[in-house]
Structure formats: structure tokens, C-alpha cells
């Protein structure tokens, strides 16, 4: 196919590449490994978390959190301003976990607690809100605070720069566990699932950026090479998640009752419910969708855009900069890309479509329940076991499958 030069060149991706520069090594994981110990009185905050594990699975943690936080120095929040940014992130993560535990009090979760907005201890609430505001985040637990700042690895020194490629199954563990026994082991695996999936997502980010740059430089070889890397990276993300979920490493009976419901939490701020932690915030899939030009037209597409509010400012800036180049790679493949680029683009779309279908089927199976009476949750929505919400979830996910499928290229290139 002959080289085609657009009549009206679009602005280059300079803003996108600049926004991505700080994130190229680690993607949506923090740029430095999470700090595990804090100076002076601040260490009491993370130290409280494992001490609550027994009560969280029994009578409840609220009295213990109230008593412990009442003993913190009166000026602890003010003192936090003198911490380094990495130390503030570590303290924010610990405070978010304590807010999370206070929010639910005990597991299994009583249905009434889904509709409750408790009166949090003043010292904890003030610390959490102050640190959230300083970080540019809403005062609500999310993937970043509860998971991405809550891991450790012998191959990544706390507070040091690292490469996401060095993280793999076997060298990543939860840093601060809030459940004990087998439930704690399952929580550890759940944290690992997201951290390792996001670690593989770093390669999705780099490949996507390379594809956008090649599209603007009209470099056929570079475009095909970037799409080949994207193809492998998307599969690596799916494989990382499937190792933990599809092959029964994560026990769905414990996960469904003791872990997943509590990730649908939020605080009511000025009448708006913040849904809290959600798989929609997984950067790896957002990078792939933006690179491939998958539209955000359906209800889950809109939810993806809304989920950006829970991301740190630098990550929001990257996604915002990428929005301007949402269709650039597909347009390049159609206009002047060779057959290899077309085939690889199609393979990437197929990868994402398979991922959406897989998530749809696993989610529907989860929502069908096991016949026992307990509360389940999906993206902040409460369900009772046995109620056929699985078809509603299937229908919702099908809209995202359709959004992805719409990016398939016709055989003639139209």
C-alpha cells in the first residue's frame, strides 16, 4: 500500500509523551516501592492494622480503632506535612485501610452496613482526609491506596525506584494484612493479583505509547513492532490475572463472602457516593483501550471515564492527554499501515474482546452465588445470594464487549 500523508496533520503526541514519562517504568503502580516503616509516632498507624485482624473476623474493630486513635498525638495530622512524599503515601495507605476496616467493622458484612455512613474517629478521619487532599485524591479507599501502596518485595527496596518487570508471582506479597488465617492468605493473593496485573500493564503502556508515536511519524515498521509488543503485553496481563482466578488459586467462596463485598465501599461527599475500589481503575486495560480506540459509549465506558476521579493526578493527566489520540493508531493502520500492522491490530482487538468476555463469564458466575444467604457486591452494588443478578451483569458487560468488537477492521480496510 503506498504511503499516504494526511491532508491536515494532527498535533504530535508531545503532551502525551511528557505526561507518560514519569510512569514508563511502573505504569499505574507507584514510581517507588512502598515505604514499609514510618518515623516516630506515625508507625503506630500501620502497626494497628495487623492487630485488628482477629476482631475483624469476629466481634468487630470499631472499639479498638477508637481507643487506639484517641492515643495518637493531637498534632499528628499537622506533623504529617513534614514527611517525605513516599512516607505520606505510606501513611495515607495505612489510614485508608483503617477507614476501610472501621467502615465495615467485621466480616461477613451485615447487609445494613452497606447503607451506613458511620461517624469515624476524629483523629483518623482528619488524618485520612488531610492526606487524601494533599495527594489530590477523593477521601475514599481505592485501588491505589488499598492495593498499589500495600505490597512489598525482596527485589524492590522500600522507597527505592524499581522496574515493574522485576515483579512476578513469588516475589510480591501484601505489606499490611487486615485479615488472618485462610482469609488473610486469600486477601494476600487478591492484592498480588492486582499488583502483578498492573506490573504487566507497564508493558501495555510502553507499547501503546510507541504505537501512537509511530502513527504520528508514519513509521510502518515501528507501528507493526509496537502492535506486536502490545499484543504480547495484553496477553501477559490476562495470563497474570487468570493464574490467580481461573485456576482456583483464589477461593471464590471465601473471596465472595469475606473480601470482595468490602471493596464496594464509599463515603457520601456532598450528596455523591464515591464507589471506592473498582477493577475499572486497572490502568493496563485503560491503556489498551485508548491505544486501540475502543469507544467509551456504553454504560461501562462511561463508568471507566468516571473512575479516573479515583486515580492520582499524574495518572489522570496521562489518560487525559491520551484522549486526544484515542483514534490515532487505528486511523494509521487503516490509512497507511501494512498487512502486518493490520493483522496485529486485529489480534490486539481480539485479545481485549476475549478479556471482556472472560470477565463477563467469571463475574456472572460470581453473582450466581452458591445458594447460601450472604451479601455479595460488584463495583459497589449490593446483591443478595440467589437473586438472578448474573444476567444483568452479563448484559452490562456485553455492552463493553460490543464497544471492543466495534474496533474490528473490515477485510477491505474500511
Amino acid at each position: 500500500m503506498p504511503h499516504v500523508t494526511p491532508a491536515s496533520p494532527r498535533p504530535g503526541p508531545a503532551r502525551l509523551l511528557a505526561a507518560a514519562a514519569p510512569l514508563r517504568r511502573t505504569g499505574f503502580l507507584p514510581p517507588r516501592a512502598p515505604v514499609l516503616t514510618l518515623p516516630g509516632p506515625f508507625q503506630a498507624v500501620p502497626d494497628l492494622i495487623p492487630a485488628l485482624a482477629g476482631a475483624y473476623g469476629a466481634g468487630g474493630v470499631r472499639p479498638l480503632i477508637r481507643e487506639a486513635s484517641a492515643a495518637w498525638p493531637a498534632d499528628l495530622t499537622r506533623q504529617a506535612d513534614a514527611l517525605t512524599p513516599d512516607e505520606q503515601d505510606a501513611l495515607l495507605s495505612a489510614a485508608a485501610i483503617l477507614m476501610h476496616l472501621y467502615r465495615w467493622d467485621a466480616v461477613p458484612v451485615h447487609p445494613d452496613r452497606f447503607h451506613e455512613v458511620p461517624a469515624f474517629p476524629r483523629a483518623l478521619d482528619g488524618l485520612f482526609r488531610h492526606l487524601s487532599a494533599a495527594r489530590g485524591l477523593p477521601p475514599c479507599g481505592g485501588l491505589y491506596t488499598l492495593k498499589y501502596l500495600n505490597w512489598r518485595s525482596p527485589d524492590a527496596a522500600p522507597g527505592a525506584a524499581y522496574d515493574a518487570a522485576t515483579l512476578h508471582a513469588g516475589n510480591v506479597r501484601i505489606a499490611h494484612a487486615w485479615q488472618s488465617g485462610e482469609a488473610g492468605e486469600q486477601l494476600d493473593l487478591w492484592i498480588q493479583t492486582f499488583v502483578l496485573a498492573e506490573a504487566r500493564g507497564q508493558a501495555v503502556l510502553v507499547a501503546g505509547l510507541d504505537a501512537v508515536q509511530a502513527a504520528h511519524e508514519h513509521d510502518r515498521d515501528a507501528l507493526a513492532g509496537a502492535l506486536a509488543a502490545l499484543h504480547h503485553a495484553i496477553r501477559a496481563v490476562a495470563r497474570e490475572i487468570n493464574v490467580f482466578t481461573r485456576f482456583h488459586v483464589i477461593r471464590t467462596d471465601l473471596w465472595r463472602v469475606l473480601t470482595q463485598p468490602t471493596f464496594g465501599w464509599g463515603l457520601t461527599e456532598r450528596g455523591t457516593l464515591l464507589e471506592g475500589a473498582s477493577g475499572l481503575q486497572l490502568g493496563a486495560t485503560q491503556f489498551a483501550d485508548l491505544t486501540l480506540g475502543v469507544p467509551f459509549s456504553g454504560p461501562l465506558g462511561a463508568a471507566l471515564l468516571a473512575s479516573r476521579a479515583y486515580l492520582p493526578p499524574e495518572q489522570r493527566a496521562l489518560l487525559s492527554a491520551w484522549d486526544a489520540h484515542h483514534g490515532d493508531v487505528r486511523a494509521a493502520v487503516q490509512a497507511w499501515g501494512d498487512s502486518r500492522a493490520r493483522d496485529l491490530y486485529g489480534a490486539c482487538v481480539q485479545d481485549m474482546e476475549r478479556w471482556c468476555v472472560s470477565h463477563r463469564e467469571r463475574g456472572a458466575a460470581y453473582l450466581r452465588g452458591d445458594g447460601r444467604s450472604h451479601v455479595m457486591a460488584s463495583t459497589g452494588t449490593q446483591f443478595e445470594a440467589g437473586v438472578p443478578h448474573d444476567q444483568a451483569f452479563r448484559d452490562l458487560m456485553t455492552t463493553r464487549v460490543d464497544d471492543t468488537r466495534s474496533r474490528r477492521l473490515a477485510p477491505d480496510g474500511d
Side-chain angles (χ1 to χ4, degrees):
M1 181 179 291
H3 180 85
V4 178
T5 301
S8 303
R10 297 187 60 177
R15 177 170 167 257
L16 169 60
L17 297 177
L23 308 178
R24 290 185 74 103
R25 281 187 302 102
T26 58
F28 269 20
L29 294 175
R32 288 169 298 279
V35 169
L36 301 180
T37 58
L38 293 170
F42 299 105
Q43 186 59 32
V45 181
D47 282 349
L48 179 58
I49 296 169
L52 299 171
Y56 191 55
V61 299
R62 289 182 180 176
L64 298 175
I65 294 177
R66 284 196 298 267
E67 179 182 1
S69 61
W72 294 347
D75 62 345
L76 188 69
T77 296
R78 182 183 60 78
Q79 289 186 50
D81 291 336
L83 295 174
T84 68
D86 290 336
E87 289 171 339
Q88 288 181 349
D89 266 2
L91 185 60
L92 170 60
S93 178
I97 292 170
L98 292 179
M99 291 285 283
H100 174 95
L101 294 175
Y102 198 93
R103 166 71 179 88
W104 295 112
D105 191 30
V107 288
V109 179
H110 190 279
D112 292 345
R113 232 170 292 146
F114 278 84
H115 308 288
E116 179 190 16
V117 180
F120 293 94
R122 180 173 297 182
L124 173 61
D125 187 66
L127 178 66
F128 177 59
R129 291 177 183 275
H130 180 79
L131 293 169
S132 296
R135 192 64 177 90
L137 290 168
C140 181
L143 279 182
Y144 193 76
T145 52
L146 295 176
K147 296 179 182 176
Y148 296 167
L149 290 172
N150 188 26
W151 57 271
R152 55 186 170 85
S153 171
D155 299 318
Y162 66 99
D163 291 317
T166 63
L167 304 181
H168 54 80
N171 77 341
V172 171
R173 298 294 303 274
I174 190 172
H176 305 294
W178 59 84
Q179 290 181 297
S180 59
E182 193 168 12
E185 294 173 3
Q186 291 293 303
L187 176 63
D188 190 353
L189 291 170
W190 190 227
I191 299 290
Q192 290 180 48
T193 300
F194 278 84
V195 170
L196 293 175
E198 206 67 276
R200 305 291 79 80
Q202 176 267 346
V204 178
L205 166 65
V206 172
L209 293 170
D210 290 347
V212 172
Q213 189 166 12
H216 279 264
E217 295 175 354
H218 286 242
D219 188 327
R220 282 197 185 92
D221 289 341
L223 179 62
L227 288 171
L230 182 64
H231 174 49
H232 291 300
I234 293 172
R235 290 194 165 193
V237 172
R239 185 165 55 248
E240 202 73 75
I241 294 175
N242 287 339
V243 164
F244 288 93
T245 55
R246 180 184 296 173
F247 301 118
H248 310 296
V249 176
I250 292 178
R251 278 185 52 183
T252 55
D253 56 339
L254 293 176
W255 174 71
R256 183 185 290 126
V257 179
L258 301 178
T259 303
Q260 175 69 358
T262 63
F263 278 104
W265 76 288
L267 305 179
T268 301
E269 294 290 328
R270 295 182 294 278
T272 301
L273 181 66
L274 302 177
E275 290 185 349
S278 167
L280 291 173
Q281 297 163 41
L282 188 66
T285 55
Q286 295 212 35
F287 298 148
D289 283 346
L290 285 164
T291 304
L292 300 172
V294 177
F296 298 101
S297 55
L300 280 187
L304 276 165
L305 294 176
S307 76
R308 294 181 183 180
Y310 305 101
L311 302 175
E314 62 273 16
Q315 298 180 2
R316 295 198 299 264
L318 170 61
L319 296 177
S320 177
W322 214 322
D323 284 338
H325 304 284
H326 193 185
D328 290 3
V329 172
R330 187 170 191 270
V333 169
Q334 289 181 300
W336 50 264
D338 57 19
S339 60
R340 181 168 176 247
R342 288 180 54 81
D343 289 345
L344 286 165
Y345 176 88
C348 290
V349 171
Q350 189 175 54
D351 290 338
M352 290 304 295
E353 185 179 330
R354 285 173 175 163
W355 160 251
C356 290
V357 169
S358 175
H359 184 61
R360 179 184 66 187
E361 298 308 312
R362 279 201 293 267
Y366 160 73
L367 290 174
R368 277 196 294 273
D370 54 13
R372 293 182 296 172
S373 178
H374 54 70
V375 173
M376 298 185 293
S378 179
T379 316
T381 304
Q382 179 182 343
F383 298 103
E384 293 290 344
V387 178
H389 291 281
D390 55 307
Q391 187 58 48
F393 177 81
R394 186 185 297 276
D395 293 342
L396 186 66
M397 277 302 302
T398 296
T399 66
R400 197 60 189 158
V401 173
D402 292 341
D403 279 347
T404 306
R405 188 173 291 157
S406 71
R407 296 300 88 188
R408 291 181 179 179
L409 296 177
D412 61 357
D414 294 336

